[in-house]
Amino acid sequence: MKVFNLPDLGEGLPDAQIREWHVKPGDIVEIDQPLVAMETAKAVVEVPSPWAGEIGELHGSVDDIIDTGAQLVTFKTITSTHAEKKDTGTVVGHIERTNAVVPETAQVFERTSSQNIKATPAVKQLAKQLNVDLTQITGTGPNNTITAQDVKQATTQVSAKPAADFEPLKGVRRSMMQTMVKSHQEIVPATIFDEADIAAWADNQDITLRIIRAITHACKIEPSLNAWYDSAAQARKLFTDVNLGLAIDSDEGLFVPVIEKAQNNSELRNIINTYKTQVKNRSIPTEKLSGATISLSNFGVFAGQFATPVVVPPQVAIIGIGKIKDAAVVYQEQIVVHKMIPISLTFDHRAVTGGEASRFLYALMQDLKEAN
Amino acid sequence: MSIQSQTVAEFAITYSRFLDAEGHPTQDLPESLKNADTLRKLYEYMVLNRTFDAKAVALQRTGKMGTYPSSAGQEAIGVGVGAAMQEGDVSVPYYRDHGAHLIRGGSIEEIYLLWGGDERGNDYATLKQDFPVAVPIASQSLHAVGVAKAIQYRKQSRAVVTFIGDGGTSEGDFYEAINLAGVWKLPVLFVINNNFWAISVPLSEQTICKTLAQKGIAAGVSGEQVDGNDVLAVTYATEQALKRIREGHGPHIIEALTYRMCDHTTADDAKRYQPPEEVESYKKEDPILRLRNYLVSQNLWDEEQEKTLYARVKQTVEQAVHAYESIPDQPPTAIFDYLYATLPHDLIEQRDILLANLGAHHE
Ligand SMILES: Cc1ncc(C[n+]2csc(CCOP(=O)(O)OP(=O)(O)O)c2C)c(N)n1
Ligand SMILES: [Mg+2]
C-alpha cells in the first residue's frame, strides 16, 4: 500500500479542487496514466499516476477541495516505480542532512562572541576594512543594530592605537566618553549658580528626597526645563511627568537610572536604594537607563560646591547639588551660621531661555527652604 | 506641390520552407539534407524531445519536479538549430530550446535537475561552454553578445547562437543586443521562436511589425523568416547563417514561425486564452508528423523503425528519470559553496552556523 499525496500543481498553491476522476478502486494503472483532473486557482490540470499498480482508494469526490500535501489516492499494490529520491551518500562519504530550519534573520545570542553583533554584512565588511572592533560599539540603528555611521564614528574617535602605557577606555567609562562627546558637540550650555538656605528644615529630612521634591515642584512651575529637544527637527517636547535621571557614581563610571513619575512617587527612597545596590553589583536593567526628562547629579558627596554639569541630549537641563556646608550668612540683619545647599543648574540654551532657567531655579529654592 | 524624393534604401524579409504541412517537398532539398542518416537523426531527436518533455510535465504533476515549460509543437526549432551547430559553437538558450541541448550531446538528466531546482543541472558534462537556460526574458541576448565579443577578440572561427521568444523581442535587452552585434559585426545568430504567444499575450498585441525578423533592419542586421515547424528549413537556414557568421560576416536573425501547442508552463492553463480553433488548426502543422510523412514517402522510415525508436526513447527517458531521482541531495552547505572562489567572512560565519545546526540535529 502506498499513498499519493496531492503535489503543488502550480507555484505555491495551497490546494486544488477535484474536477473529474479518471480511475476507480480496483483499476490497474500505468505510470503517467491520467488519474484525475484537478482545478487550481490557475488551471485545470491532469494529474498522472506516479506509479504503476492497483488503485485502492480515492480520497475525495468531485468538487472536494484537497490541500496540497494531503492524501489523494491510495494504491493497493505497486508494480513498478522509479527510484525515490534517497540519501545515499557520495564518493566522498556520508552527507550530512538536516530538517532543522536555519533562520535567515539576524542571529540573536548573548553578547559574548562576535557572532552576536547586530550589523549587516556590509557594515561588518566596513568594520573589517577600517579595523574597527564591533564588540566595542553601541549600535544606534533600529534594535541597536550597528550602522555604517557608527563604524565610521568609531574610527574617528580611535584614530591611533594607544601607546604601551595607555589603557583604552572600556565599558561604562567608554560610553560615558561617547555621551559626553555627543553632548559637547550638540548642546549650547549655560549654567546658573545659587545657594538654598535650609536652616528652617525640621529634623530628619531626607536630603535627596527634598531635592527631588523641589525639582518636581520647579518643573510644575516652569515646565520648559522638563523637556526634550530634537535638534534635527529643531523641535521641543515638554513633559508633565518628571522622569528624573539620577546620576549614581561607581568605580567603573557613571550610571544614570531613571525614576519614573518622580512628582508623585511614594516609593522614591526604595527605588533609589535599589538603584544604588544595582549599580554597585552591576545588575541594573538597561531599560531603566533611558527615558529621563531631566537629571540630578548629587556630586558634592566629598567636596565641590558648584559645577557646570553636562546636559545629556535630548534632555535640556541638569541640576547639580554640591556639598552642603555651614556658612556665615546674613539673616535678619545678623551674621549667623546656616546650612546652605549649593545648586548649579545647566540648561541647553538652544531650547531654554535664561528667564525660564532662573524662574525654575527660584521655584526650586523656594520649595527647598520649606521646613518640611 | 510635388516633392521630389528617391528611395535610398529598400528592405525585404524572405520566408522559406522545404516541406509543407503534409510533408510534401515544396522545392528541391539542398545536398546537406539529402543524407538519410541526417534526416533520421533529426526525426529521432524531435521524438526524444517530445517524450522527455511530456515526462517532465508528468514529474511536475506528481510533485517530483518544479515548474516546467514544455516545448511541445516547437521541437523543430531547438533540434534543427542544434543540429546545424558545430561543437565549438556556443549555445545561449532560453527555456524552450532543450532540443538543441539534447542533439548537441547534452543529457536529459541535466535538464530534469535544472527544473527540479538542482543547480548541478547547469554543470553540463559535455557542453562546457554552453550557457545555462535563461529565464529572465531577453537577458540571454546580451550575454550572447558578450560571448560573441570574446570569440571575436580571440579571432576564433566560432559562432554564438542565442534563442528568444516572440515576446522577448519587445524587450530593450533584445534591441540593445542586436544593435551592438551589428555595430561590432559580432559572430552571433539570434533565433526567434515565434510561437505567437507570450504567456497569454498574443503576437497581435505584442507588436504591429509584420515580421519579427525585420526588427534586425533597424540595427543593420540581416534577417529572415523560416517555417519553424519544418525542421529542414530551420536546419538549413541555420547552417547557412552560421557559415557566414563563422567567416566573419556578422550577426543574423532567423525568425522561426511555430505555435505553442502546450501551456506556457505547468503553472498555466492555455485553454483559458488560446482559441480552440487556432490550436486545432496548428495540429496538422506538427513538426514531427511532417518529417515522418516525408521520411515514409522517401522509404526512409517504416513502422518497425518507429516502434523500435519509441521503445528506445522511452527507455532513455526512464533512465534519465531514474538518474534524476536517485542523485543524492547536496549537503545543505552547498548553498554557500559555489558562489565565490573565496567565501567572504560573513558567509563563512553563516556556513559555520549551519554546520553547527546540522551537528546539533544529528545527535
Ligand atoms: C524580464 C522578465 N519579465 C517577465 C518575465 C515573466 N515571463 C516569463 S515567460 C514570459 C513570456 C515570454 O514569452 P515569449 O518571449 O514569447 O517566449 P515563450 O514563452 O512564448 O517561448 C514572461 C513575460 C520574465 N521571466 N522575465
Ligand atoms: Mg512566445
Side-chain angles (χ1 to χ4, degrees):
Chain A
M1 217 180 67
K2 204 165 159 133
V3 181
F4 174 45
N5 297 323
L6 178 69
D8 180 356
L9 296 171
E11 291 168 348
L13 295 173
D15 53 35
Q17 190 172 20
I18 299 174
R19 273 278 152 266
E20 188 187 352
W21 282 109
H22 303 307
V23 294
K24 57 183 183 311
D27 284 1
I28 305 294
V29 297
E30 292 296 317
I31 289 185
D32 292 346
Q33 180 178 329
L35 290 180
V36 59
M38 302 290 299
E39 179 158 5
T40 70
K42 277 186 152 184
V44 175
V45 292
E46 291 295 343
V47 177
S49 176
W51 311 302
E54 184 185 339
I55 302 293
E57 192 185 342
L58 309 181
H59 298 282
S61 11
V62 172
D63 289 345
D64 282 356
I65 292 173
I66 311 289
D67 287 343
T68 300
Q71 297 188 339
L72 186 63
V73 179
T74 298
F75 284 69
K76 201 168 161 194
T77 54
I78 303 282
T79 51
S80 87
T81 162
H82 295 303
E84 297 294 320
K85 278 213 155 201
K86 56 178 179 279
D87 178 22
T88 53
T90 65
V91 277
V92 290
H94 183 66
I95 290 189
E96 302 292 329
R97 299 189 71 192
T98 178
N99 294 322
V101 176
V102 177
E104 273 181 67
T105 48
Q107 305 269 320
V108 182
F109 296 87
E110 294 303 310
R111 284 190 73 91
T112 50
S113 83
S114 68
Q115 271 186 0
N116 316 337
I117 288 162
K118 281 200 231 167
T120 62
V123 169
K124 288 186 182 175
Q125 188 59 31
L126 179 70
K128 227 182 142 192
Q129 278 166 7
L130 300 179
N131 208 9
V132 169
D133 180 359
L134 289 176
T135 56
Q136 298 301 314
I137 296 186
T138 314
T140 63
N143 294 320
N144 301 327
T145 45
I146 300 173
T147 64
Q149 190 57 38
D150 294 337
V151 171
K152 285 183 194 148
Q153 197 160 334
T155 56
T156 55
Q157 283 167 8
V158 187
S159 56
K161 279 208 156 151
D165 50 354
F166 278 59
E167 53 164 316
L169 301 189
K170 281 188 189 146
V172 189
R173 189 178 298 275
R174 191 183 149 81
S175 75
M176 169 191 75
M177 175 273 287
Q178 286 166 337
T179 311
M180 293 304 135
V181 167
K182 191 162 180 236
S183 171
H184 188 68
Q185 284 168 348
E186 267 200 23
I187 299 252
V188 180
T191 309
I192 324 180
F193 309 104
D194 210 329
E195 288 173 298
D197 185 334
I198 57 168
W201 274 16
D203 289 344
N204 300 327
Q205 295 292 299
D206 184 322
I207 301 172
T208 306
L209 294 197
R210 283 300 306 267
I211 293 169
I212 292 175
R213 191 185 87 187
I215 290 173
T216 61
H217 171 72
C219 288
K220 203 166 153 196
I221 304 289
E222 185 48 72
S224 51
L225 279 83
N226 184 39
W228 281 355
Y229 179 65
D230 179 343
S231 51
Q234 299 182 354
R236 66 174 189 158
K237 175 181 184 180
L238 310 189
F239 295 93
T240 33
D241 282 340
V242 181
N243 292 338
L244 183 74
L246 182 64
I248 300 178
D249 194 36
S250 85
D251 292 347
E252 294 172 76
L254 192 69
F255 285 85
V256 189
V258 178
I259 302 168
E260 281 171 45
K261 298 192 180 170
Q263 77 274 20
N264 53 8
N265 195 323
S266 55
E267 293 294 312
L268 279 181
R269 183 33 72 191
N270 284 341
I271 294 173
I272 293 168
N273 289 345
T274 312
Y275 282 165
K276 281 186 172 160
T277 328
Q278 286 175 332
V279 164
K280 207 170 157 195
N281 37 7
R282 296 292 307 273
S283 63
I284 188 124
T286 35
E287 68 266 22
K288 296 287 182 201
L289 295 174
S290 59
T293 56
I294 191 165
S295 290
L296 165 64
S297 173
N298 241 326
F299 62 83
V301 182
F302 302 111
Q305 282 199 277
F306 297 101
T308 55
V310 178
V311 176
V312 175
Q315 296 169 66
V316 299
I318 181 168
I319 295 98
I321 300 294
K323 190 168 175 55
I324 299 175
K325 70 174 201 180
D326 292 330
V329 296
V330 178
Y331 180 73
Q332 293 180 347
E333 297 181 8
Q334 298 285 316
I335 293 179
V336 292
V337 174
H338 276 181
K339 285 212 180 310
M340 305 294 284
I341 295 188
I343 305 168
S344 310
L345 167 65
T346 302
F347 59 98
D348 185 349
H349 216 331
R350 295 175 305 170
V352 178
T353 69
E356 286 162 348
S358 86
R359 245 191 319 276
F360 180 93
L361 186 56
Y362 179 75
L364 191 151
M365 288 173 56
Q366 286 305 109
D367 189 83
L368 213 46
K369 283 176 185 162
E370 298 289 328
N372 47 42
Chain B
M1 192 182 127
S2 86
I3 292 175
Q4 291 194 0
S5 63
Q6 312 102 47
T7 303
V8 290
E10 272 182 302
F11 308 99
I13 296 295
T14 62
Y15 167 89
S16 66
R17 58 152 47 163
F18 291 109
L19 300 178
D20 67 14
E22 281 79 45
H24 301 313
T26 56
Q27 56 180 311
D28 270 354
L29 295 195
E31 281 313 308
S32 66
L33 293 176
K34 284 183 176 156
N35 182 307
D37 288 339
T38 304
L39 295 174
R40 279 194 289 257
K41 184 175 173 190
L42 291 172
Y43 181 67
E44 289 172 8
Y45 271 94
M46 286 199 291
V47 170
L48 179 66
N49 188 347
R50 186 161 297 178
T51 313
F52 108 89
D53 187 275
K55 186 70 200 184
V57 174
L59 288 171
Q60 192 280 337
R61 298 277 190 250
T62 49
K64 296 170 181 170
M65 216 172 73
T67 302
Y68 176 78
S70 166
S71 47
Q74 304 146 79
E75 295 89 347
I77 299 176
V79 169
V81 171
M85 289 176 72
Q86 291 181 355
E87 207 182 321
D89 296 338
V90 180
S91 174
V92 185
Y94 82 121
Y95 46 81
R96 284 202 218 279
D97 327 306
H98 295 319
H101 182 71
L102 296 181
I103 200 165
R104 275 171 67 64
S107 81
I108 298 174
E109 186 193 339
E110 287 163 352
I111 302 170
Y112 285 163
L113 279 170
L114 165 64
W115 297 106
D118 191 328
E119 291 286 348
R120 285 174 293 184
N122 284 326
D123 184 12
Y124 306 140
T126 51
L127 307 167
K128 284 297 182 193
Q129 302 218 325
D130 280 5
F131 268 47
V133 168
V135 172
I137 303 301
S139 57
Q140 73 276 17
S141 306
L142 291 166
H143 301 158
V145 163
V147 178
K149 179 66 205 172
I151 286 173
Q152 183 187 60
Y153 183 75
R154 292 169 173 163
K155 300 188 165 61
Q156 295 169 332
S157 169
R158 304 161 70 190
V160 181
V161 178
T162 187
F163 302 79
I164 191 166
D166 45 296
T169 68
S170 298
E171 292 262 1
D173 284 7
F174 174 74
Y175 288 105
E176 292 162 29
I178 57 173
N179 184 63
L180 193 62
V183 174
W184 287 351
K185 228 178 170 189
L186 295 177
V188 53
L189 172 66
F190 298 90
V191 176
I192 301 171
N193 169 328
N194 183 354
N195 61 15
F196 285 85
W197 290 94
I199 314 186
S200 55
V201 178
L203 187 66
S204 57
E205 288 178 36
Q206 188 73 242
T207 179
I208 59 162
C209 284
K210 199 163 181 193
T211 70
L212 297 177
Q214 79 196 53
K215 292 191 173 193
I217 292 169
V221 175
S222 60
E224 66 183 301
Q225 238 184 13
V226 300
D227 184 337
N229 281 5
D230 175 5
V231 72
L232 304 187
V234 174
T235 306
Y236 185 70
T238 308
E239 269 172 9
Q240 295 303 303
L242 290 183
K243 190 161 167 285
R244 289 191 304 272
I245 287 170
R246 286 191 211 99
E247 285 166 359
H249 297 296
H252 185 67
I253 295 175
I254 294 176
E255 175 190 358
L257 298 175
T258 182
Y259 191 81
R260 208 187 71 212
M261 296 296 286
C262 52
D263 297 328
H264 171 68
T265 65
T266 48
D268 174 53
D269 184 1
K271 286 197 276 311
R272 298 190 183 190
Y273 54 83
Q274 280 184 336
E277 54 292 350
E278 186 180 283
V279 177
E280 198 54 40
S281 74
Y282 276 101
K283 276 191 181 153
K284 56 179 195 313
E285 302 274 340
D286 189 279
I288 295 181
L289 200 59
R290 185 184 303 203
L291 184 58
R292 186 174 64 202
N293 285 342
Y294 176 71
L295 290 175
V296 171
S297 73
Q298 302 298 303
N299 292 320
L300 296 174
W301 199 250
D302 60 27
E303 268 312 304
E304 200 52 41
Q305 282 165 304
E306 179 89 350
K307 258 200 236 155
T308 320
L309 171 65
Y310 272 88
R312 181 156 54 82
V313 161
K314 186 167 180 248
Q315 205 191 356
T316 307
V317 170
E318 263 169 25
Q319 279 166 358
V321 172
H322 181 79
Y324 162 65
E325 294 203 313
S326 50
I327 186 170
D329 283 348
Q330 300 202 79
T333 46
I335 59 171
F336 296 101
D337 293 341
Y338 303 93
L339 297 172
Y340 294 90
T342 314
L343 203 59
H345 172 74
D346 291 287
L347 292 185
I348 292 175
E349 243 178 55
Q350 288 186 23
R351 194 181 188 279
D352 288 346
I353 294 171
L354 177 61
L355 271 176
N357 266 279
L358 290 169
H361 192 74
H362 248 64
E363 283 163 20

